[in-house]
């Protein structure tokens, strides 16, 4: 073996317990109770747990074009600091958006040699680019993202119902996945418009009904076409019963939520605290608890960051106006401790967190060698101290801009080190650019 990792506690494909993990040429070749030898042996401390490297399939890197918001180097460094070894980059907020092969090539050239973890790419589905989807699929994107309302940037417009249905038929034939930002434009247009520093006004402008209506429509189109669809960043717990029923009916549907919806509540957001603005919004405490229940019963499949950073100026801290501020929460580095803090309080274990944040995101994206500690998988590890407490300080976060809703929050669980294909992630970029089916 090139490397043997010995852990008194580990979460592996066989469950949680002590084990030794043998690595050769960047892959796990054996997981055993003991007796492995290698050129290098790393023995974890008594307070440390070996987890598989996390997989985050919802990250806005914004590079190229809006690299002052984030960038491949800073985003992947923050990911590694948070125990994440693979991210999949969203197709919008970069310029150009990833809606054709030429834009994908530009993005790959921008990322090449600059990434600290492995990086894959989603394609985008927008009006008029149906003819590009097959070529993007051939080029190895992991699936396609669409919006049902204005995305926040003019260069990535939403699909109509007819366009979405046509694209779903095409993606069904390709065997490709459509991931959907599901909020209904008409419902939001009829809601009160947000303005001023009060969070209640913003929350009222993005009602649960907007998600519920849109998700219902996506379910019906998925049922009609037979396509595989995924609901992004679920925040309305009202939609859980219809999601569960759709699955019982055989609709090919998966669902994610995000750490901020599991951590924060609308009731605690102060006036002018626009670092908490995101779309769909953080909702009430009772809604949060029902999302946790959705994870417990399996209606919600996975938890990913929706890391959507921006410059401090775009958050409009000068006015505190929720109507004017950019919507997005930067959380790559703190997602694991945020989810673990809430999970342990509700009786979940680390194996649950690994399932939500490593195994299932890898399965959703088709990353067969990621998200698990098992023979044949990539030797991607997170060394985690689950009982160590800390207070989040934006000065210690590695993403580009010092803005985070988690600043000042007490969390439990510290990432001690992150390993990518058997090498500890340190100062030099060592990540690879992935294509669908390559990992």
């Amino acid at each position: 073996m090139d490397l043997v990792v010995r852990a008194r506690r580990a979460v592996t494909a066989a469950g949680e317990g002590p084990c030794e993990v043998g690595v050769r040429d960047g892959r796990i070749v054996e997981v055993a109770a003991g007796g492995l030898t290698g050129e290098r042996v790393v023995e974890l401390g008594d307070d440390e747990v070996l987890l598989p490297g996390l997989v985050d399939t919802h990250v806005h890197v914004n590079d190229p074009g809006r690299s002052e918001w984030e960038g491949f180097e800073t985003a992947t460094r923050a990911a590694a600091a948070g125990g994440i070894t693979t991210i999949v980059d969203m197709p919008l907020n970069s310029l150009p958006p990833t809606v054709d092969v030429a834009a994908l090539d530009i993005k790959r050239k921008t990322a090449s040699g600059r990434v600290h973890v492995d990086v894959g790419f989603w394609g985008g589905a927008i009006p008029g680019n149906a003819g590009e989807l097959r070529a993007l699929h051939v080029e190895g994107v992991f699936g396609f993202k669409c919006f049902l309302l204005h995305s926040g940037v003019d260069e990535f417009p939403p699909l109509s119902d007819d366009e979405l249905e046509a694209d779903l038929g095409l993606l069904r034939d390709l065997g490709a996945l459509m991931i959907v930002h599901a909020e209904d434009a008409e419902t939001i247009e009829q809601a009160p418009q947000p303005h001023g520093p009060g969070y209640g006004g913003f929350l009222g402008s993005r009602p649960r009904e907007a998600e519920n209506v849109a998700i219902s429509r996506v379910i019906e189109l998925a049922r009609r076409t037979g396509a595989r669809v995924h609901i992004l960043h679920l925040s309305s717990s009202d939609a859980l019963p219809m999601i569960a029923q759709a699955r019982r009916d055989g609709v090919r549907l998966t669902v994610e939520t995000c750490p901020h919806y599991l951590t924060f509540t609308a009731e605690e957001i102060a006036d002018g605290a626009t670092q908490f603005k995101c779309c769909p919004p953080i909702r009430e405490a009772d809604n949060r608890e029902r999302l946790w229940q959705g994870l417990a019963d399996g209606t919600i499949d996975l938890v990913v960051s929706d890391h959507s950073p921006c410059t401090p100026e775009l958050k409009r801290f000068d006015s505190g106006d929720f109507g004017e501020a950019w919507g997005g929460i930067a959380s790559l580095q703190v997602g694991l401790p945020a989810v673990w803090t809430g999970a342990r309080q509700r009786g979940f274990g680390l194996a649950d967190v690994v399932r939500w944040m490593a195994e299932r995101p890898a399965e959703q994206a088709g990353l067969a060698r990621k998200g698990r500690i098992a023979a044949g998988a990539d030797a991607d590890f997170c060394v985690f101290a689950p009982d160590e407490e800390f207070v989040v300080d934006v000065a210690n976060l590695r993403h580009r801009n010092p803005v985070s809703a988690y600043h000042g929050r007490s969390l439990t669980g510290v990432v001690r080190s992150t390993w990518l294909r058997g090498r500890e992630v340190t100062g030099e970029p060592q990540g690879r650019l992935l294509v669908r089916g390559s990992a």
Side-chain angles (χ1 to χ4, degrees), residues 1 5 32 39 60 78 166 178 200 220-221 334 348 387 426:
M1 312 281 182
V5 181
E39 294 179 14
H60 294 269
M178 179 72 88
E220 182 53 37
L221 292 176
V334 296
F348 297 104
D387 299 320
T426 54

Side-chain angles (χ1 to χ4, degrees), residues 187-253:
T187 302
I188 289 175
E189 287 169 3
Q190 293 174 355
Q193 295 305 297
H195 63 277
Y199 185 75
F202 170 64
L203 184 59
S205 75
R206 313 287 290 216
R208 297 188 198 188
E209 182 187 0
E211 282 190 87
N212 303 338
V213 168
I215 291 170
S216 176
R217 199 158 73 242
V218 170
I219 288 172
E220 182 53 37
L221 292 176
R223 189 192 311 272
R224 190 182 305 170
T225 62
R228 188 162 67 101
V229 298
H230 177 76
I231 301 298
L232 297 164
H233 45 49
L234 180 72
S235 86
S236 172
S237 63
D238 294 349
L240 291 170
M242 77 171 93
I243 290 166
Q245 183 61 53
R247 286 205 181 124
R248 288 193 291 270
D249 293 344
V251 177
R252 300 168 69 196
L253 178 70

Side-chain angles (χ1 to χ4, degrees), residues 262-263 288-289 292 338-348 409-412:
L262 299 170
T263 300
R288 178 185 66 181
E289 296 312 308
W292 278 106
V339 173
W340 172 236
T341 299
R344 72 186 303 184
Q345 292 169 352
R346 293 167 176 83
F348 297 104
R409 189 87 175 188
S410 295
L411 299 177
T412 303

Side-chain angles (χ1 to χ4, degrees), residues 34-55:
L36 300 185
T37 59
E39 294 179 14
R40 182 183 181 192
V41 175
V42 173
E43 189 157 347
L44 303 193
D46 291 344
D47 65 337
E48 296 176 335
V49 183
L50 185 67
L51 309 179
L54 305 188
V55 177

